[in-house]
Amino acid sequence: MLLHHLAVQQEVGSLQPRRVLSPGSDHGGTVISDLQSPELYKKFNETLNNIGENEGGIDKFSRGYESFGVHRCADGGLYCKEWAPGAEGVFLTGDFNDWNPFSYPYKKLDYGKWELYIPPKQNKSQLVPHGSKLKVVIRSKSGEILYRISPWAKYVTREGENVNYDWTHWDPEHPYKFKHSRPKKPRGVRIYESHVGISSYEGKIASYKHFTYNVLPRIKDLGYNCIQMMAIMEHAYYASFGYQITSFFAASSRYGTPEELKELVDTAHSMGITVLLDVVHSHASKNSEDGLNMFDGTDSCYFHSGPRGNHDLWDSRLFIYSSWEVLRFLLSNIRWWLEEYGFDGFRFDGVTSMLYHHHGMGQAFSGDYHEYFGLQVDEDALIYLMLANHLVHTLYPNSITIAEDVSGMPALCSPISQGGVGFDYRLAMAIPDKWIQLLKEFKDEDWNMGNIVYTLTNRRYLEKCIAYAESHDQALVGDKTLAFWLMDAEMYTNMSVLTPFTPVIDRGIQLHKMIRLITHALGGEGYLNFMGNEFGHPEWLDFPRKGNNESYHYARRQFHLTDDDLLRYKFLNNFDRDMNKLEERCGWLSAPQAFVSEKHEGNKIIAFERAGLVFIFNFHPSKSYTDYRVGTTLPGKYPFVASECYCLLSIIYYIIETKKD
């Protein structure tokens, strides 16, 4: 039976969208998908044109970091600029003036901007030396004096037992110079989701240096061609996993210096590895002493005022995307990470929260189109996302953007010229949920093959997805990784090769491999793995907090387990490497969606073809098969590429020649 309709189904069950034309293209009209309103595309163009008329274009508009904040001038003086529309007065203080709060007042400009020029010393030496501490002093309209960190601060640090971060002026005499060019855009993206701080087996926060010299070689050896860096944007609360941002332009100092992060990115590029930043523009920390909140003494500077400016579930602040200066801030932030640090793109966190006024809370998203189009959609946020994608792909056409959206918003990954939002990929977030559901709620013999295939193939035609069996979400305390669901307590006692294979460990290892392989091959146009999960990392992930006595025991990755020849973790690690290397050779991620030829419920067999390969999986818990027959598109001889067993049959064949009957 032909499964063409299954192959082109959307993530939520709809088929390929029709397209309509609007006037203005070389072919009589610009192609606009009617999944996104032509009015939205018109509003995007109007915003882009307004930026051009008032700011000289998005190129100049997105360079806000070149004037805002604090900058050393050619004559040795200092130029400072801030946007604080609710302030009555703005001042600069710090080590350089013995913390006199009012000796250096800013001059008020139009539109809530303030600027200050401090002339150089007579000997032309730096007035504010590299590494010295600074603060912006705000006099609010109520007369209150507030000490703030500039929203454009490039480096913030926390000393000793201090609760709050300090703004540290970063202006090194010899900044890092990149040695290697950006790698080419991967044909099929294989992402290693990474967190620098937990990358050591020791119970401490690991460093950029440690990651560069110890983890990057492992990633390269495993065959991943892309890393997604989590928790890089500065966040005061370590246990937030980097999702409560306090300083948007500062690389987290808990791992090292900005120059050491640049070295990490440059070293990855030398290995041919693309580097993505996990960017959080969906919300911001409520911190005011060392965050954006209440920067000018009001709750409406960067965020919506009142209840609309608060995310009740995340306890954080929500940006006002219609604000001109907020657009400047966020677009400049995108450009900063691309140009200052050499990142090759972004995974946008919390996109669902941005897309809707309800932020996805309490929504089941059945797939009905009324859920995606109506007053519940935040058009200002959509316009911002379109502008961000336009900027990224204009500056660096080979950049990659990924949307974390659970709602299935249509055209999110369609080109802007077709009325889409412009992302390259979306995360296939239903896939890990399906695997966890099967392991938690069903016996092996009750797994439904058709339902597995449906979940793995249920995506829109020409909208690319990143498939994954599990990510950091499944590793967090309160949940379990696939390996822990499969093997649980026996991982502590029976992972030694010196002990006999128990049924639990045997089943667990084989299903761990099969789940990852079928997800890799059938689930999308890209693949993602969270660090350590490739070898079945034991236990869960839990950051130091009061609830665990500030322990780092679970905030680490025990890579040394794969280096121990007496432990079975090495088998999972080696399989993951072979799987990635085979994809690199055969290219199934960049091939058209698979043709599924068999979903046999009785035999528990799934068979499909993709990229010239025939994949056959046997999920039956007790039956193996010899001389099992499956249909193929072309007749011919099909030699083995690889073989793994759960029972006897979970086989990949590779077509090397075909012949007529």
Side-chain angles (χ1 to χ4, degrees):
M1 181 178 68
L2 291 177
L3 300 179
H4 172 71
H5 291 293
L6 181 63
V8 300
Q9 274 189 316
Q10 297 176 7
E11 192 171 324
V12 290
S14 302
L15 298 180
Q16 181 184 9
R18 69 179 173 87
R19 294 172 177 174
V20 297
L21 294 176
S22 66
S25 79
D26 294 337
H27 303 286
T30 302
V31 180
I32 303 294
S33 166
D34 67 354
L35 291 180
Q36 294 290 0
S37 166
E39 289 301 316
L40 188 67
Y41 183 74
K42 180 181 178 181
K43 188 175 179 181
F44 161 76
N45 276 319
E46 287 176 351
T47 306
L48 199 59
N49 290 335
N50 286 338
I51 291 173
E53 292 172 4
N54 295 286
E55 299 284 349
I58 196 170
D59 178 70
K60 185 177 179 181
F61 188 60
S62 60
R63 294 176 182 269
Y65 52 82
E66 293 181 353
S67 58
F68 285 86
V70 173
H71 302 274
R72 176 161 49 93
C73 302
D75 63 0
L78 210 65
Y79 179 75
C80 314
K81 190 176 182 180
E82 298 295 343
W83 178 62
E88 191 67 30
V90 178
F91 309 84
L92 185 70
T93 189
D95 293 334
F96 76 101
N97 71 341
D98 295 326
W99 294 97
N100 185 325
F102 307 120
S103 61
Y104 286 96
Y106 285 64
K107 176 185 175 183
K108 189 172 185 179
L109 306 175
D110 294 333
Y111 308 113
K113 298 172 187 174
W114 302 77
E115 72 173 1
L116 166 66
Y117 173 73
I118 305 176
K121 294 181 179 179
Q122 289 185 349
N123 61 4
K124 301 296 183 181
S125 62
Q126 291 189 43
L127 184 68
V128 179
H130 168 67
S132 59
K133 300 292 193 295
L134 293 171
K135 285 280 188 179
V136 174
V137 181
I138 302 289
R139 179 188 288 129
S140 71
K141 293 189 183 299
S142 65
E144 187 178 5
I145 302 301
L146 308 169
Y147 286 81
R148 297 289 189 250
I149 292 175
S150 170
W152 305 82
K154 299 171 184 174
Y155 192 54
V156 296
T157 56
R158 181 163 58 188
E159 296 182 356
E161 299 299 318
N162 290 350
V163 174
N164 296 324
Y165 274 74
D166 295 317
W167 176 14
T168 301
H169 183 54
W170 192 258
D171 187 18
E173 184 179 356
H174 302 291
Y176 184 85
K177 293 184 179 180
F178 287 89
K179 304 176 182 68
H180 305 282
S181 59
R182 298 172 185 266
K184 294 181 179 179
K185 189 173 185 177
R187 182 182 60 164
V189 62
R190 302 181 298 274
I191 302 172
Y192 198 79
E193 189 181 31
S194 305
H195 187 292
V196 170
I198 65 171
S199 63
S200 168
Y201 70 89
E202 300 179 77
K204 65 177 186 180
I205 297 176
S207 66
Y208 294 125
K209 286 280 190 183
H210 172 84
F211 192 94
T212 300
Y213 294 107
N214 294 280
V215 182
L216 281 180
R218 289 183 181 273
I219 297 172
K220 176 66 175 176
D221 178 66
L222 284 167
Y224 290 93
N225 55 18
C226 181
I227 55 175
Q228 177 188 306
M229 303 298 297
M230 305 176 63
I232 295 297
M233 302 167 73
E234 190 61 271
H235 48 292
Y237 185 42
Y238 187 46
S240 73
F241 222 139
Y243 292 120
Q244 291 276 346
I245 306 301
T246 45
S247 291
F248 282 75
F249 286 82
S252 182
S253 61
R254 56 172 56 87
Y255 318 129
T257 69
E259 311 313 301
E260 289 167 346
L261 174 57
K262 294 173 188 177
E263 181 189 21
L264 187 161
V265 174
D266 198 24
T267 304
H269 286 170
S270 74
M271 299 177 177
I273 297 174
T274 296
V275 187
L276 306 181
L277 176 70
D278 202 350
V279 69
V280 185
H281 284 179
S282 49
H283 64 129
S285 168
K286 273 190 173 179
N287 288 21
S288 56
E289 294 287 335
D290 53 6
L292 278 183
N293 191 27
M294 305 288 291
F295 173 69
D296 65 351
T298 73
D299 72 341
S300 58
C301 186
Y302 286 91
F303 310 106
H304 288 287
S305 181
R308 188 180 175 187
N310 296 305
H311 195 295
D312 296 334
L313 188 62
W314 296 341
D315 192 31
S316 55
R317 299 302 315 274
L318 297 171
F319 288 105
I320 178 167
Y321 300 104
S322 60
S323 166
W324 193 260
E325 292 303 324
V326 171
L327 282 180
R328 186 198 308 276
F329 179 80
L330 294 177
L331 291 173
S332 296
N333 190 235
I334 290 290
R335 185 167 191 156
W336 169 257
W337 292 106
L338 287 173
E339 305 218 324
E340 182 70 15
Y341 287 93
F343 282 95
D344 304 298
F346 303 94
R347 178 262 200 188
F348 281 73
D349 177 69
V351 169
T352 304
S353 176
M354 299 173 70
L355 293 176
Y356 308 98
H357 295 299
H358 54 61
H359 309 297
M361 293 186 289
Q363 305 297 314
F365 291 110
S366 66
D368 193 296
Y369 273 67
H370 79 273
E371 297 171 336
Y372 304 121
F373 308 104
L375 296 178
Q376 73 274 24
V377 175
D378 189 336
E379 289 193 356
D380 294 326
L382 264 175
I383 295 301
Y384 164 67
L385 290 172
M386 294 169 75
L387 288 168
N389 276 297
H390 172 75
L391 176 67
V392 170
H393 293 112
T394 299
L395 288 174
Y396 298 99
N398 289 326
S399 293
I400 296 171
T401 58
I402 302 169
E404 187 213 28
D405 170 43
V406 72
S407 75
M409 167 66 81
L412 195 65
C413 299
S414 295
I416 294 172
S417 62
Q418 296 178 12
V421 184
F423 285 99
D424 294 295
Y425 299 91
R426 72 191 318 147
L427 292 178
M429 301 181 73
I431 295 176
D433 291 343
K434 174 55 62 179
W435 291 123
I436 295 298
Q437 180 194 37
L438 289 172
L439 294 174
K440 285 175 65 174
E441 301 176 10
F442 294 88
K443 297 178 181 178
D444 293 1
E445 56 267 29
D446 295 331
W447 286 20
N448 185 292
M449 300 297 102
N451 188 251
I452 291 173
V453 169
Y454 176 80
T455 303
L456 289 169
T457 58
N458 188 23
R459 55 190 183 274
R460 290 189 181 90
Y461 182 59
L462 296 182
E463 280 201 276
K464 294 186 289 186
C465 291
I466 302 292
Y468 58 106
E470 55 186 339
S471 69
H472 69 273
D473 289 325
Q474 287 71 41
L476 288 171
V477 63
D479 205 339
K480 291 183 180 180
T481 64
L482 289 179
F484 228 54
W485 278 113
L486 288 164
M487 296 175 279
D488 207 34
E490 288 204 21
M491 295 187 73
Y492 295 110
T493 57
N494 296 321
M495 286 299 280
S496 170
V497 297
L498 301 179
T499 61
F501 251 135
T502 66
V504 169
I505 295 297
D506 190 15
R507 168 187 176 270
I509 286 179
Q510 305 311 332
L511 272 180
H512 192 273
K513 295 176 181 179
M514 291 176 66
I515 287 171
R516 302 177 90 77
L517 178 58
I518 196 170
T519 300
H520 204 309
L522 188 59
E525 290 68 41
Y527 178 76
L528 179 143
N529 166 67
F530 177 64
M531 63 189 308
N533 286 354
E534 70 276 4
F535 63 84
H537 195 286
E539 300 175 329
W540 51 89
L541 183 62
D542 191 13
F543 287 88
R545 53 188 174 86
K546 289 183 179 179
N548 62 14
N549 295 318
E550 304 295 336
S551 172
Y552 285 86
H553 180 73
Y554 297 109
R556 59 192 180 120
R557 296 282 91 178
Q558 301 179 58
F559 289 110
H560 64 286
L561 296 176
T562 66
D563 301 329
D564 191 334
D565 284 336
L566 295 180
L567 296 178
R568 293 188 167 109
Y569 295 103
K570 65 180 181 181
F571 301 131
L572 295 176
N573 193 75
N574 294 342
F575 178 84
D576 199 72
R577 179 199 300 117
D578 293 343
M579 178 174 66
N580 284 323
K581 298 287 187 178
L582 183 61
E583 195 289 323
E584 184 177 4
R585 177 157 65 94
C586 301
W588 61 69
L589 290 174
S590 57
Q593 287 196 27
F595 172 74
V596 181
S597 57
E598 182 164 334
K599 300 171 290 181
H600 200 295
E601 299 300 338
N603 294 338
K604 299 299 179 188
I605 296 290
I606 294 173
F608 59 89
E609 297 179 49
R610 192 177 186 188
L613 298 168
V614 178
F615 295 80
I616 310 172
F617 290 83
N618 175 21
F619 283 97
H620 203 290
S622 59
K623 288 185 180 180
S624 58
Y625 307 95
T626 57
D627 299 325
Y628 195 90
R629 300 181 67 184
V630 295
T632 59
T633 304
L634 297 172
K637 297 180 180 179
Y638 294 73
F640 280 110
V641 168
S643 175
E644 281 297 330
C645 297
Y646 177 43
C647 300
L648 278 180
L649 188 65
S650 170
I651 305 170
I652 316 172
Y653 289 108
Y654 180 53
I655 304 171
I656 59 172
E657 65 173 319
T658 59
K659 61 181 181 181
K660 295 180 179 179
D661 293 334

